[in-house]
Amino acid sequence: MRDLEYASLLFANSSIMGILGCLLLLCLISACPSSFSSSSIDSFRQSFSIVEPDSSHTKLQINREGLQAIERITMPIAAVSVIGPYRSGKSFLLNQLLSLSCEEGFGVGHMRDTKTKGIWVWGNPMEMVINGVKTSVIFLDTEGFESVGKSNVYDDRIFALATIMSSVLIYNLAEMIREADIYRLSFAVELAEEFYERVKGEDIAFKPAKLLWLIQRDFLQGISVQEMVDEALQQVPNDNGDKNIDQVNKIRKSLAIMGGNNTAFSLPQPHLQRTKLCDLKDDDLDPIYIKKRQLLKQLVASIVHPKIVQRKYLNGKDFVSFLEQILEALNKGDIPTTGSLVEVFNKEIVERCLKLYSQWMDNVILPLPVYMLQQEHDNSKSEAMIFFDKQHFGRQHAKHSSIHLEDEIQKIFKNVIMANEYRSSKLCEAVYVHCEDKMDQLQILTLPSMAKFDAGFAKCNYSFHAECVGPSKSNYDQRMTKMLLKSRSLFIKDYNQRLFNWLISFSLAMVVLGRFIVKFILLEICAWILFVFLETYTRIFWSAESLYYDPGWHAIVSTWERIVYNSFLDLDRWAIQIGVLLVVLLLFWRFGRRKYGSLLMLPLYNTQRNGRNHSRSD
């Protein structure tokens, strides 16, 4: 009995511990779901929605969760998309290309409404080696055209997005090609026309999708599917001038010109009972279909190529970023246009060209003359436009990007012009102020010298023309000319009078010096002669100005100029030093006789009463 109670108690305890353990495990799982979720490749063996319609069912929006299946791909990506009318077997065809059943592959529906909404991707890519490049090929399923409750603009956006994203675009059609099917290709034709000549025979920057006409038909009435496509693309007579027929004929003509970018393939019906295809195995399908299906796989593998944008293979993250840009451009207006897509492609190139132009202009040392700055601008702009021509996308709509680039370059150039004007003004102002100060200094020379003034005048004029550059030079040149002429006029006006006063003062100083200091009678006599000449001449001829026309005055001026300013000595610069030295020498001369006696005195002024040279007189 005790053993039974002990067993019951042990069983109860173990049950409680088990329940607690389960609860603890559930708590851990709920707290850390990522730790227990599978991150292996097998978890991606399903289809994911990457683009879905918005609430109005007119525009497209990103499904971020589905993009994880693409972002994890590190190799170059090639996309194979299937487009076509709804209920045409697109999802079933993709499952056949992937060798998947309906249960594990893309969803296949048999109802009136479409099973696929937006764009879906198979999460497990197919790895292939294409031209030596290991590539991940992804398969995209698109929502069918002309479904109930949708606008034509929505179908256009689906078609446009699939066209741009894909490396191979399979146009899945049943039985025959209709006018509406050709008209549907208008966007693809416009896109291909924009880029076809751009990449033909050149280094590929962007290659449009390869268009594969897939006609699902059992009987072709003795013609091949390629002949059927060529016949459908022939021009239709339009005697009545119908605009719709003209538009379709234009598309036909463009498709015929770009025949190398599309091919055709026929695929018979796999089975008469199409609603039971998902329940049938390969053994139950038409053997001809099985054979053609294998050929279709080989054809797709032969024409698929990695997606290249701006000369770069797109990996998973790049492909998603590319998808987001294109989707934004398609949703930009009410109707998706090729022009908006070309702008998206060229936006980065335009920015790169602007950056190059800015760098080249930043290397230009300002200020510069206007014509030189214009040359630098023209050269930099030409290089930027050449770079744009080599890199840009599209032909017709690229002109808009080119015009936009020129406008942006012109805006940058206007800023450079303003900077050049500012720096030119600052530089010329500095040179002008320096010259003005120099002229003011020459006006107040201690010893007036026309030669020194002319030398300073010439040096200032030369430095201005050498250093002042740029658009402000013409304005400052006029100011400089007026300032120099005014300074010269003022200097000449005062020059003769200041020189006359200097000579008067100099003659009197020499009289005092010769009489009382050095006691040299010849110096005193010469000084008196100069003083008397200057004073009497002006008295006789009534004014000092009349002296300035005298040849003798010119000789005096010429002698003065040679002494005061020459290539060896600028007496005005050394006037104070020389004056101090002369004063010292004169003082030494005057008082040195006490020590050295009569040896320091001149004979004519020896006044010693008891000297030997003074004879006694009775």
Side-chain angles (χ1 to χ4, degrees), residues 131-201:
N131 296 328
V133 179
K134 195 172 182 180
T135 307
S136 292
V137 182
I138 60 176
F139 291 82
L140 304 176
D141 191 11
T142 63
E143 186 171 352
F145 306 145
E146 301 169 356
S147 180
V148 177
K150 295 190 309 179
S151 65
N152 292 332
V153 174
Y154 176 78
D155 289 346
D156 291 341
R157 286 192 168 93
I158 289 288
F159 185 89
L161 187 57
T163 302
I164 299 166
M165 292 168 52
S166 304
S167 300
V168 175
L169 186 66
I170 302 177
Y171 200 172
N172 186 51
L173 298 172
E175 298 298 329
M176 59 184 299
I177 301 175
R178 301 172 300 170
E179 290 292 319
D181 299 328
I182 298 176
Y183 190 84
R184 184 76 64 183
L185 291 172
S186 59
F187 189 92
V189 168
E190 186 180 0
L191 185 67
E193 283 181 335
E194 282 290 319
F195 296 101
Y196 182 70
E197 293 296 332
R198 175 70 183 86
V199 302
K200 186 177 180 181

Side-chain angles (χ1 to χ4, degrees), residues 3 11 18 94 98 111 135 158 197 249 267 306 380 410 512 543:
D3 293 338
F11 176 79
L94 279 169
L98 290 166
M111 304 302 293
T135 307
I158 289 288
E197 293 296 332
N249 281 337
L267 189 66
S380 300
Q410 196 62 33
V512 175
S543 66

Side-chain angles (χ1 to χ4, degrees), residues 63-119:
N63 187 336
R64 184 62 56 184
E65 183 180 0
L67 292 180
Q68 296 178 4
I70 301 177
E71 289 178 333
R72 67 187 181 88
I73 301 175
T74 58
M75 294 188 299
I77 286 181
V80 177
S81 300
V82 178
I83 60 173
Y86 83 107
R87 302 301 306 122
S88 60
K90 298 184 302 299
S91 301
F92 179 80
L93 176 63
L94 279 169
N95 290 336
Q96 292 293 294
L97 293 176
L98 290 166
S99 301
L100 297 173
S101 64
C102 296
E103 288 78 10
E104 58 181 342
F106 290 100
V108 177
H110 304 292
M111 304 302 293
R112 180 174 177 81
D113 60 335
T114 58
K115 184 71 173 179
T116 304
K117 299 293 184 181
I119 298 178

